[in-house]
Amino acid sequence: MNLGVTIYSSVTESEESGVRVSRQVFGAVATLVVVVGALVMMEGATASAGLRRTSYTAGAPGAGDAYFPYAGNGGYDVQHYDLDLTYTPPAPDPAPIVGQLSGVATIDLVATQDLNSFNLDLRGMDVQAVKVDGQRVREATPPAPGELPAGPGYWQVQDDDARVWELTIQPRPKLKQGQTARVVVTYGGETVRPEDIEGALYGWVTTRDGAMVVGEPEGSMTWYPVSDHQTDKATYSFEITVPEGKVAVANGLPAGDPVTENGWTTWFWDAPDAQASYLTTASVGDYDLRFSETAGGLPIVDAVDDALTPANAATTEASLALQADMIAFIEGAFVPYPFNSYGSIVDDDTVGYALETQTRPVYSRVAREGTVVHELAHQWFGNAVSPGLWRDIWLNEGWATYVEWLWSEATGGATAQENFDAVMEIPADDEFWALTISDPGPFGLFLGGIYDRGAATLHALRGEVGDEAFYAAAREWLVRFDDSTGTTDDFQAVYEEISGQDLGAFFDVWVRTPTKPTSW
Ligand code: TRP
Ligand code: ZN
């Protein structure tokens, strides 16, 4: 697929000063040193003390996901994001729906290669200051392709047409492989209503009363500098300052009571479980906050917009009241709930879909029972274990839909078999079947086939290996890839291992072929 993206330069700088120093040291045996130096160059490794040739290169501008080539970055691994945000929502109608965000992101990372420079993803925000380990890095002019600025500097590329949004930081001293660094980025700008590649609202979606923040697949870069790919999970903490009266709700649990001063309230949240960037939220609105807990002692924090219609509010209350039972149900079928807390944010907005943001899904206008169990199921399937690449999205949506089927059956609704039969009634020539769900393309992530064929695949797999192996393998998948990511191939391998069956033909027919399965 041609995404119309021009790959811009990935600059490599060879650091040869080590070799030069060695030549001076060895003086008279310069010839020998040149020979050894050449050998070291060929091997690209350490020869002996004092003769180390180091090669510092630019960290890759993407994580290697073909659907979103510039999402995520290479060369480092983020451990923690501390996001200190100040947000002013739009003025009342008829003012435009534009907010003001300013932030200080403190990012703790570990270099995974010798880094001359590295990138963060940041879209639509201006960087005002960068520090690396306390050293100020100044703004530089973006270099021409293939060119290499010599000294320290940072610069931004903001190419909306090519969907390339990159902040490059070239620190001095350079970062050595294995070295930890604290990167502090001060930034800000106007917030709008950003769109994903298909035109769906996502990211920091400005609302009249605040913001509904839903980042799948690579929308978190609209509100903080981030390595925006699930292969680099990290923990998070938040300090969100909003006009007094507004409520800011992020992932995890409150870290202290809100503090109000001079008409502004600061909300503190802490999310200590490894989290993919697309699952970060910091939604702001006129929420009613409620704290409760499950019978097992898991804290539940719900935030419900006070402007829902009476009918939507009633539906929402009834659904949210079921969350504790739903958690117990999923724990009984699979493994214990993977995070420190749960709860829902229900916003009065037109985003039009819900997102399983970690520990705290966000719903648009109403939280229906089926959607609530769906977003809850994602906490295991999608959040604790995330898709290795975006092509693996069916593992998220197929499972979340299948758990909806299981819940329906357990609560007296349609059985999983009935839901499966309904999918199989879709005629073979329907477009629904023309999707290779293990590789749907960046415009196919949320097509019906990802959800319903994905769920049907799991139901058929259950029939293929039997109930015992089906649930045992699901548990193994959740344990083995916890806090990490897994691919379709990984998933097939776990099912083959646990069932002892060769499932190659099964997975080919169900997920790798764009036609309706008839035999498997
Ligand atoms: N992941 C969401 C869910 O199924 C859905 C979603 C995310 C979505 N982005 C979208 C749906 C864009 C439609 C369009 O819970
Ligand atoms: Zn989903």
Side-chain angles (χ1 to χ4, degrees):
M1 164 154 319
N2 183 351
L3 291 173
V5 171
T6 318
I7 310 274
Y8 69 89
S9 63
S10 169
V11 178
T12 299
E13 186 193 33
S14 288
E15 177 73 81
E16 296 191 78
S17 58
V19 172
R20 253 180 267 124
V21 168
S22 303
R23 280 174 191 154
Q24 286 161 12
V25 169
F26 281 82
V29 285
T31 312
L32 172 67
V33 172
V34 169
V35 170
V36 172
L39 286 173
V40 172
M41 299 264 235
M42 280 161 61
E43 290 175 9
T46 304
S48 63
L51 271 183
R52 179 142 200 226
R53 177 191 175 270
T54 49
S55 179
Y56 286 79
T57 53
D65 193 315
Y67 288 8
F68 305 99
Y70 292 95
N73 300 285
Y76 64 89
D77 181 7
V78 178
Q79 312 293 298
H80 185 78
Y81 294 90
D82 179 76
L83 304 178
D84 185 347
L85 309 175
T86 300
Y87 180 58
T88 309
D93 196 44
I97 303 193
V98 171
Q100 283 288 337
L101 182 67
S102 60
V104 179
T106 301
I107 303 168
D108 291 319
L109 56 80
V110 181
T112 55
Q113 68 185 56
D114 289 347
L115 281 172
N116 177 60
S117 65
F118 62 90
N119 282 20
L120 287 159
D121 305 311
L122 186 62
R123 171 177 172 186
M125 293 275 124
D126 285 323
V127 173
Q128 281 115 31
V130 172
K131 277 185 182 177
V132 177
D133 286 333
Q135 291 273 351
R136 180 86 191 258
V137 178
R138 288 184 194 281
E139 184 165 18
T141 315
E147 269 176 30
L148 181 73
Y154 76 80
W155 59 90
Q156 287 185 264
V157 172
Q158 296 280 304
D159 188 336
D160 292 354
D161 294 336
R163 298 186 73 84
V164 179
W165 301 286
E166 297 287 333
L167 164 65
T168 300
I169 300 173
Q170 187 162 289
R172 292 294 179 268
K174 300 173 186 182
L175 299 182
K176 188 130 211 65
Q177 180 173 359
Q179 183 184 330
T180 60
R182 173 162 287 187
V183 180
V184 181
V185 181
T186 304
Y187 64 98
E190 288 190 334
T191 66
V192 291
R193 288 169 68 86
E195 292 179 3
D196 70 9
I197 194 169
E198 294 183 83
L201 291 167
Y202 81 153
W204 187 279
V205 181
T206 307
T207 61
R208 180 63 69 192
D209 69 342
M212 175 167 164
V213 182
V214 285
E216 190 181 25
E218 27 68 282
S220 284
M221 65 173 84
T222 63
W223 60 283
Y224 64 98
V226 55
S227 188
D228 207 353
H229 196 268
Q230 59 274 15
T231 44
D232 191 356
K233 294 187 178 186
T235 56
Y236 284 81
S237 47
F238 308 84
E239 285 178 48
I240 309 156
T241 302
V242 290
E244 184 176 354
K246 296 290 174 191
V247 180
V249 187
N251 311 93
L253 283 171
D257 291 331
V259 172
T260 300
E261 241 174 38
N262 303 323
W264 293 86
T265 301
T266 303
W267 297 83
F268 303 91
W269 295 87
D270 189 29
D273 299 306
Q275 179 169 302
S277 54
Y278 75 92
L279 299 171
T280 314
T281 194
S283 293
V284 176
D286 299 322
Y287 302 126
D288 177 22
L289 259 192
R290 303 106 180 239
F291 296 86
S292 60
E293 57 178 52
T294 66
L298 182 76
I300 306 277
V301 185
D302 293 319
V304 180
D305 197 316
D306 65 14
L308 303 187
T309 66
N312 283 344
T315 302
T316 295
E317 296 308 336
S319 309
L320 298 191
L322 295 170
Q323 289 179 125
D325 287 348
M326 290 171 174
I327 291 169
F329 173 74
I330 301 175
E331 287 186 327
F334 299 100
V335 299
Y337 180 76
F339 307 125
N340 76 340
S341 59
Y342 193 61
S344 296
I345 302 168
V346 188
D347 201 26
D348 178 34
D349 185 62
T350 55
V351 166
Y353 63 84
L355 188 66
E356 63 268 23
T357 37
Q358 191 152 303
T359 70
R360 193 128 313 113
V362 183
Y363 302 81
S364 185
R365 294 203 156 153
V366 63
R368 297 182 197 286
E369 182 175 334
T371 316
V372 171
V373 78
H374 178 108
E375 307 310 338
L376 175 64
H378 275 309
Q379 305 304 312
W380 288 260
F381 299 103
N383 298 9
V385 181
S386 306
L389 293 169
W390 283 110
R391 61 185 287 168
D392 302 307
I393 183 76
W394 81 273
L395 290 166
N396 282 19
E397 303 307 343
W399 269 113
T401 304
Y402 195 58
V403 173
E404 281 184 67
W405 294 4
L406 296 175
W407 174 257
S408 165
E409 178 168 325
T411 55
T415 64
Q417 185 63 41
E418 285 165 352
N419 270 302
F420 176 82
D421 292 344
V423 173
M424 296 312 279
E425 267 163 35
I426 299 171
D429 60 2
D430 195 293
E431 242 195 300
F432 173 86
W433 298 109
L435 185 70
T436 301
I437 64 170
S438 65
D439 193 7
F443 297 94
L445 295 180
F446 305 113
L447 291 179
I450 296 294
Y451 291 75
D452 293 337
R453 183 175 178 161
T457 298
L458 295 168
H459 190 73
L461 179 62
R462 183 175 160 193
E464 190 71 12
V465 301
D467 272 19
E468 205 183 306
F470 177 75
Y471 283 103
R475 286 190 286 269
E476 179 60 25
W477 166 252
L478 291 169
V479 168
R480 193 178 294 179
F481 294 93
D482 185 33
D483 283 349
S484 183
T485 62
T487 64
T488 300
D489 288 352
D490 294 330
F491 185 74
Q492 181 181 331
V494 168
Y495 269 81
E496 289 187 334
E497 182 184 321
I498 300 297
S499 69
Q501 292 171 235
D502 177 351
L503 298 169
F506 176 91
F507 277 94
D508 282 352
V509 165
W510 274 97
V511 309
R512 298 191 185 98
T513 308
T515 52
K516 181 176 179 176
T518 48
S519 63
W520 52 88

